[in-house]
């Protein structure tokens, strides 16, 4: 026989057994004695066995009644624990966030935000994971990540179910070898780099597109003498005299002693960094706190 026992009725039974009286249980629960009796009768029908027997003016549990009363107590404890855990999650006191990010924002943008979140929400666990070559936004859409730090073109929308929160514009700077003739300037016109050999620092994708678009607007296409998808290596190539390069400000936390960094203008290449979150989760306290920490960074 397969039992389908109603948890609410089990809790009514527990109240009757604890008080030893249907009337007392009804007063405690805020029910009428008739309603309590009906709940117990329905539970006995579900269980297929008597759960209470008369004892003077009150009632006492049968063996089956004592068994279910014990389980009802355990269930009540689990329900109370679940309610407490849910309240903590709603209030942002607990939780777990899986974050995808790309390398250059790890130490400069994400790490300070995580530190702030851990300070303000010590019960929250954050799991940062470096993104590969693939766009991490689908992981957010599919619920495999709670937040992804991504670069998007101006006006580019998100996929269905994902919200993009603009975090900051990250301007590119020109990196020149020490002693280069343009190093004496405070700002370098992009067109002045047209005849230079270039060191590439970005892979194909949204971070390279602002560079290509700005160079096209300045009337040329870069001639790459060396490429690297690592900013430290790109700086070393520039210091070695292989060419000049453009690196975003967030990628220049550690500067090579053999290079100088100058602002670029006319035009200034800029990549726009966003946080991608699921629409259904965007207002959750812990996720909102992380987005706020990223915005404050």
């Amino acid at each position: 026989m397969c039992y389908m026992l109603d948890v609410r009725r089990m809790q009514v039974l527990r109240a009757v057994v604890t008080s030893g009286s249907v009337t007392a249980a009804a007063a405690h629960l805020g029910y009428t004695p008739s309603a309590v009796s009906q709940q117990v009768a329905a539970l006995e029908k579900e269980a297929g066995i008597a759960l209470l027997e008369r004892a003077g003016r009150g009632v006492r549990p049968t063996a089956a009644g004592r068994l279910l009363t014990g389980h009802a107590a355990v269930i009540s404890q689990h329900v109370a624990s679940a309610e407490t855990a849910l309240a903590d999650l709603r209030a942002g006191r607990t939780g777990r966030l899986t974050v995808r990010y790309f390398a250059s924002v790890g130490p400069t943008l994400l790490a300070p935000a995580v530190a702030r979140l851990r300070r303000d929400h010590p019960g929250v666990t954050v799991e940062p994971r470096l993104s590969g070559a693939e766009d991490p936004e689908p992981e957010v859409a599919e619920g495999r990540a709670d937040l992804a730090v991504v670069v998007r073109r101006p006006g580019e929308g998100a996929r269905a179910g994902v919200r993009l929160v603009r975090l900051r514009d990250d301007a590119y700077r020109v990196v020149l070898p020490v002693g280069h003739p343009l190093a004496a300037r405070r700002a370098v016109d992009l067109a002045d780099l047209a005849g230079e050999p270039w060191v590439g620092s970005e892979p194909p994708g949204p971070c390279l597109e602002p560079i290509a678009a700005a160079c096209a607007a300045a009337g040329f296409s870069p001639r790459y003498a060396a490429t690297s998808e690592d900013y430290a290596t790109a700086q070393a190539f520039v210091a070695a005299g292989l060419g000049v390069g453009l690196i975003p400000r967030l990628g220049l936390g550690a500067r090579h002693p053999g290079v100088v960094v100058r602002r670029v203008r006319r035009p200034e290449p800029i990549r726009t960094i966003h946080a991608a979150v699921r629409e259904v989760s965007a207002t959750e306290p812990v996720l909102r706190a992380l987005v706020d920490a990223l915005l404050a960074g």
Side-chain angles (χ1 to χ4, degrees), residues 89 94-98 123-127 129 146 284 286:
L89 186 64
T94 61
R96 180 181 298 272
L97 294 176
T98 299
V124 175
T125 300
V126 182
E127 297 178 349
R129 297 180 185 175
D146 298 294
E284 291 180 1
V286 173

Side-chain angles (χ1 to χ4, degrees), residues 141-158:
E142 296 163 11
R144 292 182 285 121
D146 298 294
L147 181 148
V149 183
V150 297
V151 172
R152 290 291 177 263
R153 306 173 189 87
E156 182 179 5

Side-chain angles (χ1 to χ4, degrees), residues 130-187:
L130 187 66
S131 299
E134 298 297 322
D135 182 1
E137 189 177 320
E139 294 188 63
V140 175
E142 296 163 11
R144 292 182 285 121
D146 298 294
L147 181 148
V149 183
V150 297
V151 172
R152 290 291 177 263
R153 306 173 189 87
E156 182 179 5
R159 65 187 60 228
V162 175
R163 178 185 300 180
L164 291 176
V165 180
R166 185 170 179 164
L167 299 178
R168 65 169 59 187
D169 290 339
D170 189 20
Y172 281 84
R173 297 291 186 252
V174 62
V175 181
L176 304 164
V178 171
H180 190 282
L182 295 175
R185 302 182 184 179
R186 296 183 61 183

Side-chain angles (χ1 to χ4, degrees), residues 12 15-27 36 52 57-60:
V12 170
V16 174
V17 171
T18 300
S19 63
S21 163
V22 170
T23 302
V36 170
L52 296 174
R57 293 186 177 182
V59 293
R60 64 188 177 196

Side-chain angles (χ1 to χ4, degrees), residues 271-296:
R271 65 178 185 178
T272 304
I273 300 172
H274 293 79
V277 298
R278 276 177 294 165
E279 285 281 2
V280 296
S281 306
T283 58
E284 291 180 1
V286 173
L287 187 57
R288 183 68 252 177
L290 179 56
V291 172
D292 289 343
L294 288 166
L295 288 167

Side-chain angles (χ1 to χ4, degrees), residues 2-25:
C2 180
Y3 296 114
M4 295 294 291
L5 301 178
D6 187 284
V7 172
R8 181 170 56 87
R9 290 169 181 163
M10 290 174 63
Q11 292 172 333
V12 170
L13 172 67
R14 179 170 176 252
V16 174
V17 171
T18 300
S19 63
S21 163
V22 170
T23 302

